[in-house]
């Protein structure tokens, strides 16, 4: 982890999940997300302590485990507040909801891991509780009520609204809860005019236009692939296998629930757009083109 200054009050810790740091005064800071686990939280605290700062609060952009994993150890050691928005507040308070939601039932032990299941923390609603110099904005699509954060230095923390070329080239699919809202968020991002942008899993940049197009093109590509897969009647499990085979992906328990949930979201989108329909035949749900 490396602390990088990007404004008078704004810093970020370069990490697999970039961590925002905002100085509210000479001694106190707010964090934006806390990484994927207890060890990440400890490393963040070490960096903050080396600067002589105190963690006053944590802002979670959303409740995925790689963004809230360090909450508990930081909150326990600093008595800092944790702020979250909407449904994300509840999922952050009760992290079992994430793996349960992804699986669609009580999660079996192989998906009760730190990749999908963070530790609980005490959470306060972000509304009317942000310190001066920070503001939040909604970035729906990737998860239920994900937000971004803008600082007084005109730096935008964009959470998981954009994924890097390396991630897209390697994995092709990235998690999406609501495809229509995700596309709307990409349109919204194109209207921003910030000085600097920090997505959670991309390099810092002053221009996100090419990233927006890259992400939009990949989403549209997957929409078309799933639509084409439904030329004949096909079950969800067969669609999932088709997508894994097409992109050369390897199935495991984590990928099954993450990609599987995402494929279902694409099916919902195509159904709502009147591109696909479904029937129940021989006690199987089959999808097909309208």
């Amino acid at each position: 982890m490396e602390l990088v200054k990007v404004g008078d009050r704004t810093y970020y810790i370069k990490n697999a999940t970039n961590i925002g740091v905002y100085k509210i005064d000479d001694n106190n800071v707010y964090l934006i997300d806390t990484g994927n686990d207890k060890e990440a939280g400890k490393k963040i605290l070490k960096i903050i302590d080396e600067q002589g700062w105190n963690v006053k609060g944590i802002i979670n952009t959303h409740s995925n485990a790689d963004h809230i994993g360090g909450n508990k150890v930081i909150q326990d050691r600093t008595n800092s507040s944790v702020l979250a928005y909407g449904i994300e507040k509840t999922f952050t308070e009760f992290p079992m909801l994430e793996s349960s939601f992804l699986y669609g039932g009580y999660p079996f032990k192989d998906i009760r891991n730190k990749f999908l299941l963070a530790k609980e923390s005490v959470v306060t609603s972000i509304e009317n509780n942000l310190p001066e110099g920070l503001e939040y904005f909604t970035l729906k699509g990737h998860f239920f009520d994900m937000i971004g954060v803008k600082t007084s230095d005109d730096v935008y923390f964009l959470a998981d609204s954009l994924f890097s070329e390396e991630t897209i080239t390697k994995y092709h699919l990235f998690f999406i809860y609501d495809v229509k809202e995700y596309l709307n968020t990409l349109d919204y991002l194109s209207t921003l005019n910030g000085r600097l942008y920090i997505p959670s899993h991309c390099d810092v940049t002053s221009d996100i236009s090419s990233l927006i197009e890259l992400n939009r093109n990949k989403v549209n590509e997957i929409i078309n692939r799933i639509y084409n897969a439904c030329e004949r009647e096909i079950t969800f499990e067969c669609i999932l296998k088709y997508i894994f085979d097409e992109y050369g992906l390897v199935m495991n328990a984590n990928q099954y629930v993450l990609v599987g949930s995402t494929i279902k979201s694409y099916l919902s989108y195509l159904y709502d757009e009147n591109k696909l329909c479904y029937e129940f035949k021989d006690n199987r749900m089959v999808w097909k083109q309208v």
Side-chain angles (χ1 to χ4, degrees):
M1 289 188 177
E2 175 190 358
L3 181 69
V4 181
K5 185 173 183 178
V6 291
D8 289 341
R9 295 188 172 192
T10 308
Y11 302 71
Y12 80 101
I13 298 173
K14 192 173 183 179
N15 187 38
T17 301
N18 291 323
I19 310 300
V21 181
Y22 183 77
K23 288 183 66 177
I24 59 172
D25 56 41
D26 288 342
N27 300 314
N28 297 294
V29 301
Y30 268 69
L31 302 176
I32 302 170
D33 292 331
T34 60
N36 64 334
D37 59 14
K38 178 174 68 175
E39 293 308 312
K42 290 178 179 178
K43 291 176 182 177
I44 291 166
L45 281 176
K46 184 175 184 293
I47 289 172
I48 298 302
D49 289 344
E50 287 171 350
Q51 302 300 315
W53 301 335
N54 304 306
V55 177
K56 184 72 173 178
I58 297 165
I59 301 166
N60 287 140
T61 59
H62 60 299
S63 56
N64 289 168
D66 61 327
H67 292 257
I68 69 170
N71 278 16
K72 181 172 175 53
V73 67
I74 294 173
Q75 188 173 53
D76 286 350
R77 293 189 181 185
T78 65
N79 198 32
S80 53
S81 60
V82 174
L83 305 179
Y85 176 71
I87 297 174
E88 307 299 339
K89 174 183 180 294
T90 303
F91 270 59
T92 303
E93 289 177 309
F94 305 101
M96 180 65 82
L97 289 172
E98 180 174 350
S99 52
S100 300
F101 150 71
L102 290 171
Y103 180 55
Y106 180 75
F108 55 97
K109 63 181 181 180
D110 290 350
I111 57 172
R112 297 197 307 269
N113 57 52
K114 71 176 185 178
F115 185 65
L116 299 176
L117 182 59
K119 298 294 184 182
E120 296 177 1
S121 47
V122 179
V123 189
T124 302
S125 175
I126 197 170
E127 289 131 308
N128 303 315
N129 284 308
L130 272 183
E132 184 178 352
L134 294 175
E135 58 184 272
Y136 74 90
F137 49 95
T138 58
L139 293 171
K140 292 190 176 184
H142 171 71
F143 217 51
F144 294 92
D145 284 323
M146 187 173 76
I147 61 169
V149 179
K150 179 188 177 184
T151 78
S152 59
D153 296 311
D154 202 23
V155 176
Y156 286 76
F157 289 88
L158 298 180
D160 286 1
S161 60
L162 293 170
F163 290 87
S164 69
E165 182 176 3
E166 293 77 13
T167 296
I168 291 174
T169 300
K170 183 175 181 179
Y171 297 108
H172 297 280
L173 284 101
F174 41 87
F175 185 86
I176 296 180
Y177 168 66
D178 185 328
V179 175
K180 185 172 183 178
E181 287 287 7
Y182 184 78
L183 292 170
N184 288 339
T185 285
L186 294 181
D187 290 340
Y188 167 72
L189 292 176
S190 68
T191 69
L192 298 181
N193 190 29
R195 182 178 66 83
L196 208 60
Y197 303 95
I198 307 179
S200 290
H201 305 291
C202 301
D203 292 334
V204 175
T205 180
S206 60
D207 184 359
I208 54 173
S209 57
S210 60
L211 270 178
I212 293 170
E213 283 308 299
L214 179 70
N215 282 258
R216 181 185 287 114
N217 289 341
K218 181 55 72 172
V219 169
N220 286 327
E221 176 187 302
I222 294 166
I223 289 171
N224 290 330
R225 281 185 182 265
I226 294 174
Y227 177 77
N228 291 334
C230 298
E231 185 176 5
R232 297 180 180 179
E233 293 178 352
I234 186 171
T235 65
F236 159 73
E237 289 282 350
C238 289
I239 295 169
L240 185 60
K241 172 177 168 49
Y242 167 79
I243 292 296
F244 267 79
D245 290 346
E246 283 291 296
Y247 287 122
L249 303 175
V250 178
M251 186 80 72
N252 60 40
N254 287 336
Q255 291 301 312
Y256 177 80
V257 294
L258 287 167
V259 178
S261 179
T262 300
I263 295 299
K264 288 178 180 177
S265 295
Y266 277 99
L267 289 170
S268 295
Y269 171 80
L270 285 162
Y271 179 80
D272 289 348
E273 295 292 311
N274 297 314
K275 299 291 182 66
L276 294 183
C277 60
Y278 65 85
E279 289 185 64
F280 289 94
K281 289 189 173 182
D282 298 322
N283 289 327
R284 297 182 307 146
M285 185 182 194
V286 295
W287 294 89
K288 62 182 180 179
Q289 295 177 5
V290 172

